Amino acid sequence: MAGIGRLSTKSSVLLLCDMQEKFRPNIFQFTNIVSNAARLLQAARLLGIPSIVTEQYPQGLGPTVPELGAGDLTAHAKTSFTMMTEPVEKELKALGDPKIAILCGIETQACIACTTFDLLERGMDVHIVADAVSSRSQTDRLFSLSRLRQSGAFLTTTEAVLLQLVQDAKHPKFREIQKLLAQPSPDTALVAFFSSL
């Protein structure tokens, strides 16, 4: 349902933004962010949700990290701070122009923000998975999430996305999704952000 942020497996796309090797030592909570994004990717595969991966200047910043589990996906190289490059636009069109974007990756104040603005301008519902996005600075991460929420994006979590996509314990893939939730998502230091709201 448009406007309230209801998730659906129909007309959704998972966007995996720039989780690359050279960012590993500098991004706050990098390992946990990638772990949550990998869970989302596994769920997307189970539920038939298409996924799109980008890499920011891979010649300098390296490839997508292997632990994301996206090795079978074509990574779209880019230099812009939005994922919405011509090849990604073409892929979205080929997918029937999904109405819902589930967005994770780095960095929140740069590529996540610019992608969100572009998606919102297209009229898409944008669900930013707050425990699967980050920045070098926790300040940039938290203020960017606040700013993007003001712009109309929905902030959510990995577990919330997975449960809202299946919606019912009778869903044929619920048991497999439940296995992805066996361990709680790792803490990515978001409590301080929400205590300030």
Side-chain angles (χ1 to χ4, degrees):
M1 180 182 274
I4 66 167
R6 186 180 297 277
L7 284 167
S8 168
T9 54
K10 296 175 182 169
S11 200
S12 288
V13 63
L14 175 64
L15 300 176
L16 302 157
C17 185
D18 307 350
M19 287 173 270
Q20 294 161 257
E21 198 59 53
K22 287 280 177 78
F23 287 122
R24 187 186 299 275
N26 300 314
I27 296 295
F28 183 76
Q29 295 283 334
F30 183 86
T31 300
N32 290 337
I33 295 305
V34 172
S35 172
N36 285 333
R39 244 191 256 208
L40 290 164
L41 178 55
Q42 289 174 60
R45 287 182 170 131
L46 288 169
L47 298 171
I49 296 170
S51 302
I52 297 175
V53 179
T54 59
E55 293 176 343
Q56 181 72 19
Y57 186 63
Q59 305 92 313
L61 296 172
T64 299
V65 294
E67 60 265 37
L68 182 60
D72 60 320
L73 299 173
T74 299
H76 299 284
K78 64 185 184 67
T79 56
S80 64
F81 295 145
T82 180
M83 290 181 76
M84 300 305 289
T85 60
E86 190 176 332
V88 171
E89 293 268 13
K90 284 181 181 174
E91 192 166 342
L92 287 173
K93 191 163 192 65
L95 292 170
D97 288 318
K99 304 292 181 239
I100 301 167
I102 301 165
L103 179 58
C104 55
I106 54 179
E107 286 190 69
T108 315
Q109 80 285 3
C111 298
I112 297 298
C114 292
T115 301
T116 298
F117 296 143
D118 286 346
L119 293 169
L120 289 170
E121 285 180 341
R122 285 173 65 110
M124 293 179 73
D125 277 359
V126 181
H127 296 260
I128 300 171
V129 188
D131 61 353
V133 298
S134 195
S135 302
R136 287 172 297 154
S137 152
Q138 179 76 329
T139 301
D140 279 328
R141 178 189 186 206
L142 299 183
F143 274 88
S144 295
L145 287 173
S146 179
R147 169 71 175 85
L148 294 168
R149 184 172 175 240
Q150 290 169 343
S151 294
F154 299 103
L155 301 185
T156 189
T157 64
T158 301
E159 185 162 328
V161 168
L162 300 188
L163 292 173
Q164 288 166 30
L165 285 170
V166 293
Q167 297 184 21
D168 194 317
K170 292 179 182 174
H171 189 286
K173 298 289 184 181
F174 176 71
R175 291 260 186 235
E176 290 167 273
I177 294 296
Q178 191 177 36
K179 289 176 187 170
L180 297 175
L181 300 172
Q183 295 297 317
S185 293
D187 175 36
T188 62
L190 287 170
V191 175
F193 170 63
F194 282 98
S195 64
S196 68
L197 293 179

